[in-house]
Amino acid sequence: VQLQAYGGGLVQPGGSLRLSCVASGSIVSINKMGWYRQAPGNQRGLVAIDTSGGTTNYADSVKGRFTISRDNVKNTVSLQMDSLKPEDTAVYYCYAEIRSRYFSTRAYWGQGTQVTVSS
């Protein structure tokens, strides 16, 4: 099982970016899918997550600006980031809890994609 993330980059304050992540491999089912981020000197923290039941949770710092969406057929999760601020600068990691053909449900991480918000 692999998670591949796309869409990071450099954007000016107030701008938008969209991150996408696709899960591939011998997937039986996916529970949670979402995004974490880690800025230099900080611990990795939750940005947004979508449970298999459709409930979404957001970090307080991104509520109203970021929107998570999920496609259960394509095994993808996306993060639409609007009104970006310099403090959103971080490496963003895709996360998923996946049951595969060979393993019971476990956590998987994508490779990380850099988001830089700067003028």
Side-chain angles (χ1 to χ4, degrees):
V1 173
Q2 288 186 324
L3 297 180
Q4 181 69 47
Y6 305 90
L10 172 65
V11 65
Q12 292 185 343
S16 298
L17 277 177
R18 185 176 180 86
L19 305 181
S20 295
C21 175
V22 58
S24 61
S26 301
I27 296 169
V28 173
S29 61
I30 302 178
N31 186 3
K32 299 176 182 177
M33 292 190 85
W35 297 89
Y36 285 71
R37 68 186 180 187
Q38 186 169 18
N42 291 346
Q43 291 186 333
R44 191 176 299 186
L46 175 70
V47 177
I49 199 156
D50 182 296
T51 70
S52 60
T55 301
T56 56
N57 291 307
Y58 295 89
D60 288 342
S61 60
V62 307
K63 285 180 180 177
R65 300 188 297 121
F66 291 10
T67 304
I68 190 170
S69 59
R70 178 173 171 176
D71 186 325
N72 291 322
V73 174
K74 297 180 179 179
N75 290 336
T76 61
V77 62
S78 297
L79 186 69
Q80 177 65 40
M81 304 184 293
D82 299 318
S83 302
L84 282 160
K85 303 175 181 180
E87 51 263 44
D88 295 317
T89 295
V91 178
Y92 285 69
Y93 295 91
C94 178
Y95 170 87
E97 295 175 0
I98 298 173
R99 179 185 172 193
S100 70
R101 185 182 305 174
Y102 306 107
F103 297 100
S104 59
T105 301
R106 53 166 285 189
Y108 291 85
W109 294 92
Q111 82 281 12
T113 184
Q114 177 70 45
V115 172
T116 302
V117 185
S118 175
S119 55

